[in-house]
């Protein structure tokens, strides 16, 4: 018996639409011909000197007791943005915020954060601090970038973040498989590892 399609023909969907769907991520990705795998990615970590690390960590630790992470603006402006700005400092990556992207009527919307240097990185803020649904949105946006980019890279990488928790994803373009990293990185506890992974993803030599 054939499975009823999730996506309706001639219907318009934004990236946020996939966050709001209650379907399993595997079923949503299958609509675009991609599969999902859950595995430890064993991310490479940069070995460069992170001259702003201690300052960033202390600022975050100092502010956390006084901010409510139920606010998307707080998570975005006080946790995610400062980390990405430091990544830009280390990699000289171009950072696009709310970057509009239209591939098809089923793949369109705005990318929260899109960084590109020697390599590229997509970062999605998990709305309502819902990491699971945020990951589904991230995966669909990676599929959109796969169809849109003229890059010859074999893999595309992304991360979803609630501000205090980050999770990575890798899209293998040849196999059309998206790997969901089993590892989670906490802020500020794991900020050293997190920054080194973000820098390594964007850098040619790490």
């Amino acid at each position: 018996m054939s499975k009823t399609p999730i996506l309706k023909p001639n219907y318009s969907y934004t990236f946020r639409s996939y966050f709001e769907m209650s379907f399993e991520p595997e079923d949503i990705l299958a609509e675009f011909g991609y599969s999902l795998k859950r595995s430890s990615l064993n991310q490479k970590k940069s070995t460069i000197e992170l001259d702003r690390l201690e300052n960033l960590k202390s600022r975050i630790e100092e502010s956390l007791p006084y901010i409510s992470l139920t606010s998307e603006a707080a998570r975005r402006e006080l946790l995610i943005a400062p980390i990405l700005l430091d990544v830009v400092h280390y990699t000289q990556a171009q950072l696009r915020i709310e970057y509009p992207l239209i591939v098809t009527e089923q793949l369109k919307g705005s990318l929260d954060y899109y960084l590109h240097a020697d390599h590229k990185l997509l970062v999605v803020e998990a709305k309502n601090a819902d990491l699971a649904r945020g990951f589904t949105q991230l995966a669909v946006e990676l599929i959109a970038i796969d169809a849109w980019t003229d890059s010859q890279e074999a893999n595309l990488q992304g991360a979803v973040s609630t501000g205090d928790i980050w999770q990575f994803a890798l899209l293998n373009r040849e196999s059309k498989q998206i790997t969901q990293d089993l590892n989670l990185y906490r802020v500020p506890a794991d900020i050293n590892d997190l920054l080194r992974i973000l820098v390594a993803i964007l850098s040619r030599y790490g």
Side-chain angles (χ1 to χ4, degrees):
M1 191 171 90
S2 62
K3 185 183 292 186
T4 303
I6 293 172
L7 303 182
K8 301 174 183 177
N10 305 316
Y11 196 83
S12 180
Y13 296 87
T14 66
F15 297 138
R16 181 66 182 261
S17 302
Y18 298 98
F19 174 88
E20 295 168 349
M21 289 180 180
S22 58
F23 299 101
E24 290 296 321
E26 292 93 335
D27 295 334
I28 294 174
L29 301 189
E31 292 283 294
F32 298 101
Y34 289 74
S35 62
L36 177 65
K37 174 184 176 183
R38 295 180 176 91
S39 177
S40 293
L41 283 176
N42 298 316
Q43 295 277 24
K44 179 182 177 183
K45 298 181 179 71
S46 173
T47 58
I48 68 167
E49 180 187 357
L50 300 179
D51 60 332
R52 297 187 180 187
L53 175 63
E54 289 307 317
N55 179 265
L56 175 64
K57 186 175 181 180
S58 64
R59 282 189 289 118
I60 290 175
E61 288 175 338
E62 183 179 287
S63 63
L64 274 177
Y66 306 105
I67 63 175
S68 171
L69 294 182
T70 58
S71 163
E72 290 183 7
R75 295 196 303 271
R76 183 172 59 246
E77 296 170 18
L78 300 176
L79 291 176
I80 299 175
I83 289 172
L84 294 183
L85 287 174
D86 274 19
V87 171
V88 168
H89 164 72
Y90 298 124
T91 64
Q92 286 77 58
Q94 296 291 315
L95 172 61
R96 300 289 180 262
I97 301 174
E98 294 295 322
Y99 186 71
L101 181 63
I102 300 175
V103 179
T104 67
E105 280 300 303
Q106 296 179 331
L107 292 171
K108 64 180 181 179
S110 294
L111 310 179
D112 289 344
Y113 304 95
Y114 185 57
L115 299 96
H116 57 97
D118 293 317
H119 300 289
K120 298 170 179 60
L121 173 68
L122 170 67
V123 177
V124 169
E125 178 207 343
K127 308 300 184 288
N128 305 324
D130 191 328
L131 197 71
R133 291 189 179 221
F135 183 87
T136 300
Q137 181 177 338
L138 168 66
V140 172
E141 291 186 17
L142 284 172
I143 290 171
I145 292 173
D146 186 19
W148 164 76
T149 185
D150 57 3
S151 168
Q152 300 303 307
E153 291 181 78
N155 299 308
L156 300 175
Q157 296 207 60
V160 59
S161 176
T162 61
D164 56 343
I165 300 174
W166 290 63
Q167 183 179 42
F168 288 94
L170 183 143
L171 183 154
N172 183 283
R173 303 179 74 185
E174 182 178 359
S175 66
K176 291 186 175 294
Q177 183 177 74
I178 296 175
T179 301
Q180 180 176 18
D181 194 1
L182 293 177
N183 301 298
L184 300 178
Y185 298 87
R186 299 163 298 153
V187 173
D190 303 321
I191 197 166
N192 179 56
D193 285 345
L194 174 64
L195 272 174
R196 292 190 180 281
I197 291 169
L198 292 170
V199 171
I201 288 173
L202 287 162
S203 303
R204 180 175 299 173
Y205 306 109

